Amino acid sequence: MKLFRTIAGAAGLLLAFTEARAAQTNVAVAANFTDAAKEIAALFKQKTGHEAVLSFGASGQFYTQIAQGAPFQVFLSADESRPKKLVEDGLAVGDSRFTYAIGKLVLWSKSPGAVTGEETLKAASFAKLSICNPAAAPYGLAAVETMKALKLYDALKPKLVEGATITQAYQFVETGNAEVGFVALSQLTGIDAGSRWVVPQALYSPIRQDAVLLKTGAGNEAASALISFLRGPEARAIIEKYGYVLDGQS
């Protein structure tokens, strides 16, 4: 019994020590990275004990909120320009910024055979084409660049329905409010139904998605640990699983 009490006491001290070391960080996450971020955060907590509290939205909106003092410590953007600007603004730690993923744009429909490639855009036999706000969301900008590269933007503009985020652009197609839409390849992980066209990279600027540690998180153990974890093999394997290209890959 004495030995049992000794072991139980040691276990209790270890648990208390682990809980004391565990920290929490608030993370602003680009909407396209929702599912991958949730999986990474769960593994991060399992491995480190730290908790990443995730908020999802458009990168442009997050930039504005962070500039206005929103309580985030880490920013996972859908582009590289806004994290860079936060460093220039003195709101983020410069040497923490890195590209955690490179996204892929997809034209998608729930209907089999509806999307056959750029011919689908040229034929324009659909009533509505969903995109996300190109001013706030890089995937929306990539969609506009694609249409302009194909010299179809002016013809397709009256058919566009615009979501605030890539999540809303996806939902427009999912709910039938648009027959086709530009979405992120990561959103179609595990979805085989419908039809899709992975847009050639030559038609839009690379969607380099950068992470950065904000100055508000410089003294937060969980925030620094999350930045390190994102660079590691376990997080990178999850990122690849969701259809992203890792920096340095072709």
Side-chain angles (χ1 to χ4, degrees):
M1 181 61 70
K2 185 177 180 180
L3 177 61
F4 175 78
R5 286 198 297 269
T6 301
I7 294 172
L13 286 172
L14 180 61
L15 178 61
F17 178 72
T18 301
E19 289 177 345
R21 289 185 66 248
Q24 185 180 90
T25 181
N26 295 320
V27 187
V29 183
N32 74 86
F33 202 62
T34 296
D35 291 337
K38 288 179 179 178
E39 190 168 334
I40 290 170
L43 185 59
F44 175 67
K45 185 172 184 178
Q46 177 189 327
K47 295 289 185 178
T48 68
H50 299 315
E51 183 177 5
V53 179
L54 309 177
S55 298
F56 302 102
S59 296
Q61 293 172 346
F62 277 136
Y63 170 82
T64 300
Q65 291 170 10
I66 292 167
Q68 294 175 350
F72 296 113
Q73 288 92 40
V74 176
F75 181 29
L76 305 186
S77 183
D79 65 4
E80 58 183 343
S81 62
R82 291 179 176 93
K84 181 179 179 182
K85 184 71 164 60
L86 288 169
V87 171
E88 293 170 350
D89 294 343
L91 296 173
V93 179
D95 61 3
S96 71
R97 184 172 69 91
F98 71 101
T99 299
Y100 66 93
I102 300 173
K104 293 182 181 180
L105 184 69
V106 178
L107 184 67
W108 176 61
S109 173
K110 286 182 67 179
S111 301
V115 174
T116 57
E118 64 182 73
E119 295 79 12
T120 301
L121 296 174
K122 291 176 179 177
S125 57
F126 45 81
K128 299 293 181 183
L129 170 64
S130 74
I131 65 169
C132 51
N133 180 359
Y139 283 82
L141 178 60
V144 171
E145 288 179 345
T146 295
M147 289 183 282
K148 287 183 175 180
L150 295 173
K151 297 180 171 48
L152 297 172
Y153 181 67
D154 290 339
L156 292 174
K157 191 173 181 179
K159 296 176 180 282
L160 299 181
V161 289
E162 188 176 293
T165 67
I166 195 69
T167 300
Q168 289 186 343
Y170 172 88
Q171 289 172 344
F172 285 147
V173 181
E174 175 64 27
T175 57
N177 289 308
E179 299 99 310
V180 293
F182 283 105
V183 302
L185 179 60
S186 57
Q187 294 173 296
L188 301 180
T189 301
I191 298 176
D192 296 321
S195 51
R196 69 183 71 178
W197 174 48
V198 179
V199 180
Q201 179 60 75
L203 295 178
Y204 62 94
S205 303
I207 305 174
R208 297 181 62 87
Q209 304 193 187
D210 278 12
V212 72
L213 177 68
L214 302 173
K215 286 287 184 68
T216 50
N220 183 306
E221 185 179 353
S224 297
L226 179 61
I227 288 290
S228 296
F229 191 77
L230 279 168
R231 292 179 178 269
E234 293 169 311
R236 286 166 67 86
I238 293 172
I239 292 168
E240 277 193 293
K241 185 180 78 173
Y242 281 91
Y244 296 97
V245 175
L246 297 174
D247 197 21
Q249 294 179 341
S250 57

